[in-house]
Amino acid sequence: MLKYRTLRILTLFALTGLVYMIICGTAFAVAVNADKAFPYSVKWVGAFSGSKDFKQKEGFFSGILKLITGSDAFTLKRPVAVWNSPDGNLRVLDQELQSLLLIRQNDRDIKSASSFPSLVSMCMTKSGVLYFTDSKRNGVFIQETPDKTPHLFNKNVSLNRPTGIAFLEQKQEIWVVETGAHRIAILDSKGKFLRYIGKRGISAGEFNFPTFIWIDTSGTVYIVDSMNFRAQILSSSGLVLTVFGEAGDASGYFARPKGIATDTFGHIYIADALFHTVQVFDQKGNYLYHFGEQGSAKGKFWMPMGIFIGEDDRIFVADSYNHRIQIFKIQQRESNDG
């Protein structure tokens, strides 16, 4: 009887392992084939971790790095969001420093606005107005110009743990992710409340602790529905267009999805903090490609958070626990890239 029971247990383990290998093997095969469908590659351009880089690095930041002569003691601590404005100025939210940092090329200076205990995300209008969130203070803050002190934007609107934020240029609306309320709050350019989108749930258009958000140039909205382990794509009116993703440990699945952005080709990039990588999807949610893995060398990540992609298709990633911003460039694959 004991031998029979032991044999049955061993058989069960063997079958379970076989099923696991089949599933993982299938997922891996899909990932490899999917990579070939992505006709681009992502090239590492550079990284910024502190004032020491101003004097040593070349390349994309060469103008900034040669001009700025700040203290060698300055370093990023835990950057969570990054934004590169058209004028070349770089904004960084650093949670440990509790600061909004501005790296200005022309002024040869690093400016900071401090005392924000839980910075999460930011966005900018075409006119240069900056909005950013502090989830502990339940606030959205606005900075009209780089020289002005940020001030509270949602004075008459109560928010519950605001995290992600994005600006809808076509309607002049600010979309704020309320992680604590499992919804999106939409405000006008004066800070007046307009409407909510979503509630807690698992159906399309419902959320479970959503975090980051991105709005592309056409007005399409991309939301990381974090604890549902998926992303949702919405129209500017709030209509759900696509829902994709689920929890898992293979390419195309999510473990701890964070920042989200799109390139000029319409590809969707999602940073995953526990996978230490950035995954790329098409508009239907099909997995295409990924770059990065755990580590501290160039092109590797340690719990990446925010991601920003500019109109020149340069990718900026807040590599939080490596205390740096990494910069990549999308380029056409060469024939020998496969």
Side-chain angles (χ1 to χ4, degrees):
M1 182 67 179
L2 182 59
K3 288 183 179 179
Y4 175 71
R5 184 176 300 169
T6 302
L7 180 61
R8 208 168 53 168
I9 292 172
L10 290 173
T11 303
L12 180 61
F13 274 126
L15 289 173
T16 303
L18 180 61
V19 171
Y20 179 79
M21 285 189 291
I22 291 172
I23 292 173
C24 290
T26 302
F28 179 73
V30 170
V32 171
N33 292 333
D35 276 353
K36 294 181 179 180
F38 186 66
Y40 305 93
S41 61
V42 177
K43 178 184 177 182
W44 185 85
V45 175
F48 167 74
S49 61
S51 52
K52 64 181 179 63
D53 296 319
F54 294 151
K55 299 177 181 178
Q56 297 174 359
K57 302 292 183 181
E58 295 295 332
F60 176 68
F61 280 112
S62 58
I64 297 176
L65 307 182
K66 289 178 181 177
L67 288 172
I68 299 179
T69 57
S71 168
D72 288 334
F74 171 79
T75 58
L76 295 176
K77 298 296 184 182
R78 194 163 73 247
V80 295
V82 56
W83 195 279
N84 189 52
S85 56
D87 59 10
N89 291 334
L90 191 70
R91 268 91 169 175
V92 178
L93 298 182
D94 193 304
Q95 276 192 354
E96 189 167 331
L97 293 175
Q98 299 187 2
S99 298
L100 162 65
L101 302 170
L102 168 63
I103 302 168
R104 302 178 67 163
Q105 179 175 351
N106 294 333
D107 292 350
R108 309 181 185 187
D109 193 13
I110 302 174
K111 293 186 179 296
S112 67
S114 303
S115 300
F116 299 100
S118 188
L119 293 164
V120 181
S121 184
M122 61 182 154
C123 66
M124 183 182 288
T125 69
K126 287 185 177 180
S127 61
V129 178
L130 183 73
Y131 299 88
F132 61 93
T133 58
D134 187 312
S135 64
K136 188 173 183 179
R137 294 176 64 174
N138 291 320
V140 170
F141 293 85
I142 180 173
Q143 187 180 45
E144 286 89 352
T145 66
D147 295 313
K148 290 189 176 181
T149 301
H151 58 89
L152 188 65
F153 179 67
N154 61 304
K155 292 180 180 179
N156 300 313
V157 179
S158 178
L159 298 173
N160 188 344
R161 287 181 58 199
T163 51
I165 187 168
F167 184 71
L168 179 57
E169 193 78 38
Q170 291 86 341
K171 297 183 178 181
Q172 296 292 293
E173 294 175 346
I174 296 89
W175 289 45
V176 184
V177 178
E178 287 190 86
T179 298
H182 315 281
R183 66 190 179 194
I184 313 301
I186 301 176
L187 314 179
D188 69 12
S189 59
K190 303 297 183 182
K192 179 183 177 182
F193 171 76
L194 297 177
R195 63 190 183 279
Y196 291 122
I197 292 178
K199 61 179 181 179
R200 192 171 195 179
I202 61 173
S203 299
E206 298 178 341
F207 304 100
N208 188 23
F209 293 101
T211 49
F212 289 84
I213 185 173
W214 175 269
I215 300 179
D216 67 19
T217 54
S218 71
T220 303
V221 183
Y222 306 81
I223 301 168
V224 176
D225 189 5
S226 295
M227 296 312 294
N228 278 328
F229 302 97
R230 65 186 184 183
Q232 299 198 51
I233 305 177
L234 279 61
S235 69
S236 60
S237 61
L239 177 67
V240 178
L241 304 176
T242 306
V243 179
F244 67 93
E246 59 182 295
D249 59 359
S251 297
Y253 293 80
F254 297 121
R256 190 67 76 235
K258 296 294 183 180
I260 188 168
T262 58
D263 63 20
T264 59
F265 307 103
H267 305 121
I268 305 164
Y269 296 69
I270 300 178
D272 197 300
L274 287 188
F275 282 160
H276 311 285
T277 192
V278 176
Q279 299 194 81
V280 187
F281 302 84
D282 65 18
Q283 286 288 317
K284 294 182 179 179
N286 297 311
Y287 168 80
L288 298 175
Y289 182 78
H290 77 274
F291 61 96
E293 59 182 295
Q294 186 170 11
S296 58
K298 68 179 184 180
K300 296 185 177 183
F301 302 112
W302 186 9
M303 297 190 73
M305 295 286 286
I307 182 170
F308 170 82
I309 302 177
E311 294 181 357
D312 59 356
D313 285 323
R314 290 186 185 269
I315 306 167
F316 297 76
V317 181
D319 188 8
S320 295
Y321 281 81
N322 277 325
H323 322 294
R324 64 187 179 185
I325 302 298
Q326 293 206 67
I327 308 99
F328 302 83
K329 175 66 177 176
I330 304 165
Q331 61 183 18
Q332 190 79 31
R333 280 182 187 262
E334 297 179 2
S335 57
N336 60 1
D337 283 345

